Amino acid sequence: MKKKIKIIIICAAVLFVIGAGLVVLKTLLSSKGSEKVLYTANLETYENIIEISGTVAAAQEQTLQARSAGTVTAVYVKAGDKVKKGDIIIQLDDSEQLYNLEKQEYNMATKKLTASARELRLLETERNSLLQKVEDRKVTATFDGIIADLDVAVGDSLEAKDTVGTLVNIDYLTAEVEVTETDVSKLKVGQTVNFTFPAYSNKTVTGYVTGWPAIGEVTSRGATVVKAKLRIDEYPEEILPNFSFTGKIEISPTEQYIVVSRYAIGYENKEPYVVLAKGNEKRSVKVQPYGSEYVKVLEGLEGGEVLLQQTTPKRSGMNRNRGGMPGGSGSSKNSSGSGAPAGGFPGGGGFPGGPM
């Protein structure tokens, strides 16, 4: 009898344990089923660009050189002075050249009545040669500009091609940058270029594309490139010729999208809506498909809103609490400059903003 009672007590204990386990399991399943899945509406920036780098140059630059040997008799300007095209900057001793020119003109005058036409033409050619030798005793400005530097003084003896300074025109700046052969077809004259200079606190200076040659070049590293020409019309005084920069050629204007998982979108009478996690506010939206798992929100959201899940993913094994778009970046761009386009979603970038 006692044995039967003991067996009954053991069976009751087992049933109690089983029942308690079922209750706990039911509670866990119920809790899991009521867990809220959240999604973030992300504001994404799409840049379609070519990345570049290089140095800027003055609009025009003239190396001031002596065109013949001689002694400096006059220096008419100093560094920082503005000059006009044709202004004499340096004068070399030209007494011998002036003497030879005067002598030639005297000979021409005395033979004008007796010499043949052919002889007169020869005399005129000789005179022009002497005139050029007189001009070669001067260093003159070939354009309007500013004397960037000048290192010469009266009495100095110069040899032909000795460099004594630099004249620049800085009305605007120019640059040449390498564009890989795969990106040349994207170039257009007038495209906006955004420059960033280390010397200008990383602020942006705007320029544009002016052209590129009809032939490519092979670099020392074996890449085929075209050297595109850029121009900056307005720039801060902190930027000087030969300063370095990085930049972006805009193939198309920068765009911003609001992107969210499609499971955050519900439909009522075929009209899409979302529900904000804060306050359970229901809001009508206008959406457009963006890949298989995401949508662009065209109207109704500003970006940054946290939304409740409205539809359940059909695919099993999907981790709804991790993820978002590959890349985890707040912006995407289709950029090049090294010849290798970025991968991922349209535009080459990845988007965050999957379920939280």
Side-chain angles (χ1 to χ4, degrees):
M1 184 70 177
K2 290 182 179 180
K3 187 175 182 181
K4 287 183 180 182
I5 293 174
K6 188 175 181 180
I7 292 173
I8 291 172
I9 292 173
I10 293 174
C11 291
V14 171
L15 290 174
F16 176 79
V17 172
I18 293 173
L22 289 173
V23 170
V24 172
L25 179 61
K26 183 177 179 180
T27 301
L28 290 173
L29 291 174
S30 175
S31 174
K32 186 174 181 180
S34 63
E35 178 186 356
K36 292 182 179 180
V37 179
L38 305 177
Y39 297 90
T40 301
N42 292 282
L43 182 62
E44 305 294 343
T45 300
Y46 170 66
E47 295 180 303
N48 188 10
I49 61 173
I50 299 174
E51 295 182 333
I52 55 173
S53 63
T55 57
V56 290
Q60 294 173 284
E61 183 173 325
Q62 176 188 350
T63 300
L64 303 177
Q65 291 181 318
R67 289 184 286 182
S68 60
T71 302
V72 177
T73 59
V75 179
Y76 296 104
V77 298
K78 62 183 182 299
D81 286 352
K82 293 183 179 181
V83 297
K84 296 289 185 180
K85 181 178 180 179
D87 285 353
I88 300 173
I89 298 172
I90 301 168
Q91 176 70 59
L92 300 182
D93 178 21
D94 60 357
S95 55
E96 180 181 348
Q97 288 74 23
L98 288 174
Y99 169 78
N100 291 335
L101 178 61
E102 289 284 347
K103 183 177 179 181
Q104 180 68 11
E105 290 178 342
Y106 173 79
N107 289 337
M108 291 177 66
T110 57
K111 295 181 179 180
K112 187 173 182 179
L113 298 177
T114 60
S116 65
R118 186 173 182 180
E119 287 177 318
L120 291 175
R121 287 197 300 271
L122 179 61
L123 291 171
E124 183 65 27
T125 300
E126 290 175 345
R127 178 179 179 276
N128 290 337
S129 176
L130 292 172
L131 277 172
Q132 185 59 52
K133 289 181 179 180
V134 171
E135 289 301 311
D136 286 347
R137 310 301 289 175
K138 306 171 185 176
V139 177
T140 59
T142 58
F143 54 81
D144 296 355
I146 298 175
I147 302 296
D149 62 85
L150 191 64
D151 184 17
V152 67
V154 174
D156 288 350
S157 180
L158 301 180
E159 297 295 329
K161 295 185 179 181
D162 277 355
T163 297
V164 295
T166 306
L167 170 67
V168 295
N169 172 7
I170 54 174
D171 289 345
Y172 58 91
L173 298 177
T174 64
E176 279 192 349
V177 295
E178 293 182 354
V179 176
T180 59
E181 57 185 324
T182 55
D183 290 326
V184 173
S185 61
K186 303 175 186 177
L187 291 174
K188 291 182 181 179
V189 172
Q191 282 172 325
T192 298
V193 182
N194 293 315
F195 297 83
T196 300
F197 293 86
Y200 190 48
S201 302
N202 293 323
K203 296 179 181 178
T204 299
V205 178
T206 303
Y208 55 94
V209 177
T210 59
W212 58 93
I215 186 171
E217 300 181 18
V218 179
T219 68
S220 58
R221 60 184 183 274
T224 302
V225 300
V226 164
K227 291 190 175 180
K229 301 181 184 297
L230 314 177
R231 174 167 165 166
I232 304 173
D233 287 336
E234 297 182 6
Y235 60 96
E237 61 183 9
E238 290 91 340
I239 306 305
L240 300 177
N242 298 322
F243 275 19
S244 64
F245 67 84
T246 56
K248 304 172 183 178
I249 299 175
E250 288 189 2
I251 305 306
S252 59
T254 298
E255 299 179 83
Q256 287 190 321
Y257 305 136
I258 296 173
V259 181
V260 70
S261 170
R262 66 186 182 92
Y263 303 114
I265 309 299
Y267 292 88
E268 187 173 71
N269 297 325
K270 297 184 179 180
E271 294 297 323
Y273 69 88
V274 296
V275 177
L276 275 61
K278 185 176 181 180
N280 288 325
E281 177 190 347
K282 186 176 180 180
R283 187 179 295 182
S284 296
V285 292
K286 183 177 180 181
V287 299
Q288 181 183 83
Y290 191 65
S292 61
E293 299 294 326
Y294 299 88
V295 295
K296 292 180 186 177
V297 182
L298 307 180
E299 293 179 10
L301 297 177
E302 297 180 355
E305 295 90 345
V306 179
L307 310 174
L308 295 175
Q309 183 184 53
Q310 299 303 310
T311 57
T312 304
K314 294 181 180 180
R315 289 181 295 175
S316 62
M318 179 177 181
N319 188 342
R320 297 179 299 170
N321 293 318
R322 181 190 302 175
M325 298 188 180
S329 169
S331 66
S332 75
K333 62 183 177 180
N334 179 10
S335 64
S336 37
S338 61
F345 277 77
F351 293 91
M356 294 175 59

